[in-house]
Amino acid sequence: MNMKLNKYNKKRNFKDDEFINIFSGKYKIEKELLDYIRFILHTGLRMEEFMRLDKDSFFEKNGIKLIRVKTAKQKFGNTSEDEMVLHKNIHDLASYDWIDNIKRICKTKNALEHRVNRAIDKVINSKDVSAAHRLRGNFVQIIREYDARKGISEFMPNIASALRHTPN
């Protein structure tokens, strides 16, 4: 996968035990935020892409649950739409209702990012984890590890494109 890495960025992805703690209930993180974290870990959406989801984003085709994602702005302000299959682990999140609830609480991307970071800081008080954005990093890491074991890149050669990364 050809994705540029910033060699000066010292942020790291979450560790497995940190995810166990996040979802343990011990830290009383709101259900909406836990649902957001599960959703992002399974879709790899950027926060601004998540905030663009609406009631028309969720649909089924031939019995398969999908979401329609309006991508983050690209060069010249262009956007596009992608369709993604929802993993069976998040079929309970295959409606707009829970997202609408989050948007009523967090009106902007910055408000959501602040709330997610604050919740995760309860569990991981570390300056080397940039909470909200590293969820996407974990998604990429999971795909890379799966690819190393199963060779999915043979069938999906441009993983960076599938993740809506554009070359700089």
Side-chain angles (χ1 to χ4, degrees), residues 59-162:
F59 64 102
E60 279 193 36
K61 193 185 288 183
N62 300 324
I64 298 170
K65 294 179 186 293
L66 297 120
I67 55 171
R68 187 173 293 111
V69 179
K70 295 172 187 143
T71 62
K73 286 186 181 176
Q74 300 166 353
K75 288 182 182 177
F76 311 112
N78 295 330
T79 60
S80 64
E81 288 188 353
D82 291 332
E83 291 181 359
M84 299 174 107
V85 174
L86 284 180
H87 191 279
K88 66 181 180 181
N89 289 351
I90 57 170
H91 278 189
D92 62 311
L93 302 177
S95 76
Y96 182 68
D97 297 341
W98 69 277
I99 295 173
D100 188 45
N101 191 34
I102 286 176
K103 287 182 177 182
R104 274 189 252 120
I105 297 166
C106 302
K107 307 259 188 248
T108 66
K109 173 188 137 330
N110 288 343
L112 176 59
E113 185 172 28
H114 177 74
R115 198 167 185 124
V116 169
N117 285 338
R118 200 172 67 219
I120 291 175
D121 283 347
K122 292 179 188 177
V123 181
I124 308 162
N125 192 4
S126 173
K127 298 293 181 210
D128 64 343
V129 178
S130 171
H133 187 70
R134 291 315 322 153
L135 293 169
R136 187 170 162 81
N138 274 91
F139 176 78
V140 171
Q141 179 182 336
I142 290 164
I143 289 177
R144 284 181 178 158
E145 289 170 0
Y146 187 82
D147 184 32
R149 289 192 316 271
K150 302 284 186 174
I152 61 170
S153 59
E154 176 182 338
F155 305 103
M156 190 169 118
N158 195 347
I159 294 172
S161 174

